Amino acid sequence: MRKAREALSVAVLAVILTGCGLVPPLSARQADPPASPSRPGTTPAPATTPAPTPEPSSGAPRLTPAAAKKAAASWVAGYNKMIKKRGWWRDPALMVTLLGEAALHEAVIDRAHAEEDKKRTRKPIRLTGRQTYYVPREQPPGGEWFMLQATYRGEDRPHILSFWREAGTPSFVLAGKSPLHYGERVPEPRRDSGGYVTAAPRTVGTLLALEYQTFWNSPEHTSPAGATGYRLAKDNFSRRAFPEVYKGLYAAYRSFTPAYGFVTRKGGSFYLFSLLNNPQGVTQVLTVGALVPRGRKTIDEIAGDWYA
């Protein structure tokens, strides 16, 4: 575990050093509070108050696990077809059909690398082994989401992915993804008799994203309770990586994506969200899989991925 964490710190520093140039504005949510995503080439939409978690309903689920599995397979096929096209990152209309939020910003960074003759070839996604789907019975009023844990061919760690479909749109986009840290596991969710997970409160996920943003943007952390009442655990991966990154080489995070999450079997909560620096000139994306155990306000980091 120690070697893995040391390797993580070195990797973080390496990607920060790569840098990249400014790019046209793309979707992002302002940090306080989050805002709705905008399309490439447009000014990000004004910040809005996050929608409250809907009350339980006795109606039929809007998204079933079977439908989520079918949607994920369709997305993987479409993604692998898209990245075969030469210069696919130059076509915003193509990108937004499959990529959203943090994943869309990764594609923008790819475009910047290509323009600087620093090509970073994306590999096809080949899912292998067991796939675990996390589909909430209750969905937000603006659309549907689900998570998927799976292993990629050629990768030695499982990945956790989140998908989102905005109301009125035909297909899901990839909202965020991250490999699990070595030795970590996604916690077991609380499932009902139909296999649906219980969605975790969006407000808590927002507080976690704000805490991560505060942590990474501050050279000193004097409040033991954290800026939002939560705090990163002492052995949190970001806490260990911070000293290597915060040496004048780090671009502060200024926005974050929605946090998709579920209640764990033990009563805690698990979320996946991403942080972005300047949404009008994004050069790095940090995606985090964070766990808050029941009865605690310390944040354990299960997954993390820096892209720059």
Side-chain angles (χ1 to χ4, degrees), residues 141-212:
E144 295 87 37
W145 67 269
F146 69 92
M147 288 186 188
L148 165 64
Q149 180 184 345
T151 301
Y152 295 0
R153 182 180 300 170
E155 299 285 347
D156 60 351
R157 288 178 288 169
H159 283 62
I160 183 76
L161 306 89
S162 61
F163 293 89
W164 165 256
R165 178 171 61 190
E166 187 175 350
T169 58
S171 57
F172 283 87
V173 296
L174 178 68
K177 64 173 176 56
S178 174
L180 272 59
H181 290 310
Y182 288 103
E184 297 290 347
R185 295 181 179 179
V186 174
E188 288 294 324
R190 177 188 298 168
R191 296 184 186 272
D192 62 18
S193 59
Y196 294 91
V197 303
T198 301
R202 180 67 63 84
T203 52
V204 174
T206 299
L207 291 176
L208 300 190
L210 284 169
E211 189 58 40
Y212 259 82

Side-chain angles (χ1 to χ4, degrees), residues 83-218:
I83 62 174
K84 288 182 180 180
K85 296 184 178 180
R86 189 171 184 177
W88 61 268
W89 55 82
R90 299 191 187 96
D91 187 350
L94 177 63
M95 290 163 52
V96 298
T97 61
L98 292 167
L99 305 176
E101 299 163 357
L104 183 58
H105 284 81
E106 287 190 16
V108 173
I109 295 174
D110 280 358
R111 182 171 64 193
H113 279 292
E115 291 173 353
E116 296 176 353
D117 295 325
K118 298 177 182 178
K119 295 183 179 180
R120 179 177 295 181
T121 303
R122 284 182 173 246
K123 299 179 180 179
I125 293 178
R126 310 293 186 190
L127 302 182
T128 62
R130 180 183 177 184
Q131 300 173 25
T132 304
Y133 289 84
Y134 309 92
V135 183
R137 178 177 291 276
E138 302 301 330
Q139 295 281 356
E144 295 87 37
W145 67 269
F146 69 92
M147 288 186 188
L148 165 64
Q149 180 184 345
T151 301
Y152 295 0
R153 182 180 300 170
E155 299 285 347
D156 60 351
R157 288 178 288 169
H159 283 62
I160 183 76
L161 306 89
S162 61
F163 293 89
W164 165 256
R165 178 171 61 190
E166 187 175 350
T169 58
S171 57
F172 283 87
V173 296
L174 178 68
K177 64 173 176 56
S178 174
L180 272 59
H181 290 310
Y182 288 103
E184 297 290 347
R185 295 181 179 179
V186 174
E188 288 294 324
R190 177 188 298 168
R191 296 184 186 272
D192 62 18
S193 59
Y196 294 91
V197 303
T198 301
R202 180 67 63 84
T203 52
V204 174
T206 299
L207 291 176
L208 300 190
L210 284 169
E211 189 58 40
Y212 259 82
Q213 185 180 36
T214 299
F215 177 87
W216 278 94
N217 290 357
S218 174

